[in-house]
Every structure is written in structure tokens, then in C-alpha cells.
Amino acid sequence: MYRIRFTYPESWAVSLEGGWEQHLYLAEGRCEGSVVGRFRGANFPYRRTSEGPFCPDFRAVIVTDDEATIMVDLQGYGRAYPAGRRQIVGSVRHTSDSDAYRRLNDVVCVCVGEVRAQDDPADSPKLVVDVAELVWEPIAD
């Protein structure tokens, strides 16, 4: 359906007992495709170990170029591999009161993406996430 490109201009993390970590990332970017607009959100993922996957808890908003508001909820895994282009997989739900996007209110979507490391480690990584609709089909007898 659409692609999100974003960065995390601000982030925080705390180390927890047992090697767990809790993070908070503020996201800014854009969407392109059947949904076009500004993307802003917050990701509150935990990580079970310093080498393990992130478990995103992402809440965001897309303000479309046609001035609609779409709320976004993303859950899944941010895998710790491969280095430089870590994998993202997950599910996405949307909520909107705009007639143009109201059909998304009961659509389940899936996503795949990458966390792309920058040449300068001080720079925020660039994230690219493709969102696709999961389409229901009747089950054959």
C-alpha cells in the first residue's frame, strides 16, 4: 500500500535487570504510495538482551497531503541482523475518520523493512518500512 521513510531524531534508553533494555524513539518522516503525507510517531520498544531483537510498540500519525489524519499502531520485531540493514517485520493497524481512508479502520496490514545504518555512527539510522494489506479470502472446503 505505501512506504514509510523516517529517522529517529531523538532517542533515550535505559538498561534493566537481566540484560533487558527499554528505549524511546521519536520518529519523523514521510509516506509515499496510496497513502502520501507526513509521518510522526513514538516507538517504545523493549529489547530482551543487548544482542536480541527489539519488540516495537509504535504509535504514530500520518497527516496526508490531502489533510486527513490516520493513526497508526505497529507491533512486531526489529531483528538484530544483518549488520547495517537490520530487518523489521510486523503488523500494522490504522484508524481514520476521513472518508478517503475510513476503509483502513478494519484492515489488517503487515510490514517489512530495514534499519539502515549511516556512514557516520553519530547520525540516526534511516528506516524504510513497506506496509501491505493482508487480504481475506474464503477458505476452500
Side-chain angles (χ1 to χ4, degrees):
M1 283 186 3
Y2 64 93
R3 174 171 285 175
I4 313 166
R5 295 179 188 273
F6 64 97
T7 61
Y8 291 130
E10 293 186 79
S11 64
W12 301 266
V14 294
S15 297
L16 304 171
E17 52 281 337
W20 288 55
E21 301 172 354
Q22 183 69 62
H23 296 250
L24 175 63
Y25 299 101
L26 299 183
E28 293 186 6
R30 294 231 7 119
C31 297
E32 54 196 39
S34 64
V35 175
V36 179
R38 183 177 182 201
F39 177 83
R40 297 193 72 192
N43 188 4
F44 192 62
Y46 67 86
R47 195 171 192 187
R48 293 178 291 224
T49 68
S50 61
E51 300 300 317
F54 282 94
C55 296
D57 182 6
F58 212 116
R59 303 294 189 270
V61 64
I62 301 167
V63 178
T64 65
D65 287 355
D66 57 357
E67 300 182 5
T69 299
I70 303 171
M71 299 290 184
V72 178
D73 171 16
L74 186 153
Q75 307 288 317
Y77 288 107
R79 297 174 176 153
Y81 53 84
R85 284 192 180 246
R86 298 188 320 261
Q87 300 172 358
I88 301 168
V89 293
S91 63
V92 182
R93 294 181 303 179
H94 302 87
T95 307
S96 181
D97 59 0
S98 166
D99 289 339
Y101 302 98
R102 193 179 312 273
R103 75 167 204 86
L104 296 176
N105 291 349
D106 69 354
V107 169
V108 173
C109 292
V110 292
C111 68
V112 297
E114 296 178 339
V115 180
R116 298 177 176 172
Q118 299 298 321
D119 292 334
D120 182 349
D123 290 340
S124 170
K126 290 185 178 177
L127 292 89
V128 179
V129 177
D130 283 342
V131 177
E133 182 176 346
L134 184 62
V135 178
W136 181 88
E137 293 182 2
I139 298 172
D141 288 333

